[in-house]
């Protein structure tokens, strides 16, 4: 078997001096006796063992820091009712509604703010409650699907969804209705969308199908009831109704 120097000399090419294969390219060979190897292994093992308790202690402290709740007092109005609550600062508004207050109309779909099933209204504006900390909503007025209407007295948006069969499994429907309610009010205020800018209509644009689709794009219906949702919204827009 060739050593390092011989191998480098074999692959030398034109313009490369024969002195290329020097000690700086060939690290010295290290030979350990069995006794030296065992001694070095013992030292290494002892060093690792000495560090393990410290690592375990650091991990335990880190775990305690993430699992020990920090509680905070909040005051929040939900569907017209005031609540004074002690909540874990990590609690989302969605979990507060569902787990603490038993308002289960708002659904947990993706829990990443991508599907819109958790949409509620905060001070009249639609938000993803799964991405909103409960402490951040302190002092706000929250409206959920339960606060928009009742089985005996549906809101106009709820009626339109029912009349146009704008749902199938119903899981996304509470978020769709909350979002639609806020969207109609946004349109009445003259708020613009990307479609508004692209069409050049920058003053109270008409709620065309393209406008409705763009403004409702944050709410996903996995059943594909979009045509009926758009039809319901188009009828409400023509009537100028958002309540």
């Amino acid at each position: 078997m060739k050593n390092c120097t011989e191998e480098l000399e074999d692959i030398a090419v034109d313009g490369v001096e024969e002195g290329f294969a020097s000690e700086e390219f060939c690290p010295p060979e290290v030979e350990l006796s069995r006794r030296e190897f065992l001694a070095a292994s013992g030292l290494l093992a002892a060093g690792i063992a000495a560090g393990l308790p410290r690592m375990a202690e650091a991990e335990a402290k880190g775990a305690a820091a993430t699992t020990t709740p920090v509680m905070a007092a909040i005051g929040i109005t939900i569907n017209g009712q005031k609540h004074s609550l002690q909540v874990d600062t990590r609690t989302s508004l969605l979990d507060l509604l569902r787990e603490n207050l038993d308002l289960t109309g708002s659904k947990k779909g993706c829990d990443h703010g991508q599907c819109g099933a958790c949409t509620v209204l905060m001070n009249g504006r639609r938000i993803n409650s799964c991405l909103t900390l409960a402490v951040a909503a302190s002092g706000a007025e929250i409206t959920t699907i339960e606060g928009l209407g009742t089985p005996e007295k549906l809101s106009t948006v709820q009626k339109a969804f029912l009349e146009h069969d704008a749902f199938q499994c119903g899981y996304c429907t509470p978020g769709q209705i909350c979002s639609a309610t806020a969207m109609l009010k946004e349109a009445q205020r003259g708020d613009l969308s990307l479609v508004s800018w692209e069409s050049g209509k920058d003053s109270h644009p008409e709620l065309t199908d393209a406008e409705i689709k763009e403004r409702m794009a944050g709410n996903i219906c996995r059943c594909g009831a979009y045509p009926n949702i758009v039809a319901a919204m188009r009828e409400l827009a023509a009537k100028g109704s958002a309540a």
Side-chain angles (χ1 to χ4, degrees):
M1 183 179 291
K2 296 181 180 181
N3 61 29
C4 178
T5 301
E6 290 172 336
E7 289 179 354
L8 287 174
E9 288 175 346
D10 287 345
I11 63 172
V13 294
D14 292 342
V16 179
E17 298 179 359
E18 292 188 8
F20 179 82
S22 62
E23 292 185 358
E24 63 179 303
F25 296 99
C26 299
E29 296 182 2
V30 178
E31 294 184 1
L32 290 177
S33 67
R34 183 172 179 275
R35 184 185 299 275
E36 292 170 332
F37 175 77
L38 291 175
S41 300
L43 287 173
L44 180 61
I48 294 174
L52 286 176
R54 295 180 181 178
M55 292 175 60
E57 183 180 355
E59 289 179 358
K61 289 181 179 179
T66 57
T67 57
T68 303
V70 177
M71 307 301 289
I74 66 169
I76 188 170
T77 301
I78 301 173
N79 298 331
Q81 184 177 353
K82 293 183 178 180
H83 298 267
S84 296
L85 304 165
Q86 287 283 336
V87 299
D88 186 331
T89 54
R90 300 167 297 182
T91 301
S92 68
L93 178 59
L94 176 60
D95 285 339
L96 176 70
L97 294 171
R98 292 180 58 83
E99 307 299 334
N100 295 58
L101 301 174
D102 201 29
L103 294 171
T104 56
S106 304
K107 305 303 183 186
K108 181 176 287 192
C110 65
D111 210 23
H112 286 78
Q114 297 175 346
C115 72
C118 67
T119 304
V120 299
L121 308 182
M122 184 163 76
N123 297 329
R125 293 184 176 273
R126 46 184 169 165
I127 63 167
N128 291 321
S129 59
C130 74
L131 295 185
T132 305
L133 289 174
V135 291
S138 183
E141 293 188 8
I142 305 298
T143 303
T144 69
I145 187 67
E146 291 91 345
L148 289 179
T150 65
E152 295 76 24
K153 188 177 181 181
L154 299 175
S155 72
T156 54
V157 177
Q158 289 172 321
K159 288 179 182 178
F161 268 64
L162 188 61
E163 291 168 359
H164 287 271
D165 197 22
F167 50 86
Q168 288 189 40
C169 77
Y171 194 84
C172 73
T173 306
Q176 297 276 5
I177 291 175
C178 284
S179 188
T181 300
M183 187 275 277
L184 290 169
K185 292 181 178 179
E186 292 164 7
Q188 289 175 355
R189 287 198 305 265
D191 293 357
L192 304 179
S193 72
L194 179 61
V195 170
S196 308
W197 290 107
E198 291 178 343
S199 64
K201 299 177 181 178
D202 56 3
S203 178
H204 287 84
E206 178 186 357
L207 280 183
T208 61
D209 286 5
E211 280 280 359
I212 293 170
K213 291 175 183 178
E214 170 64 23
R215 292 169 186 258
M216 291 291 292
N219 291 80
I220 295 173
C221 175
R222 292 177 174 86
C223 299
Y226 298 115
N228 295 16
I229 293 173
V230 172
M233 301 295 294
R234 188 169 56 242
E235 178 183 291
L236 290 170
K239 293 179 180 179
S241 178

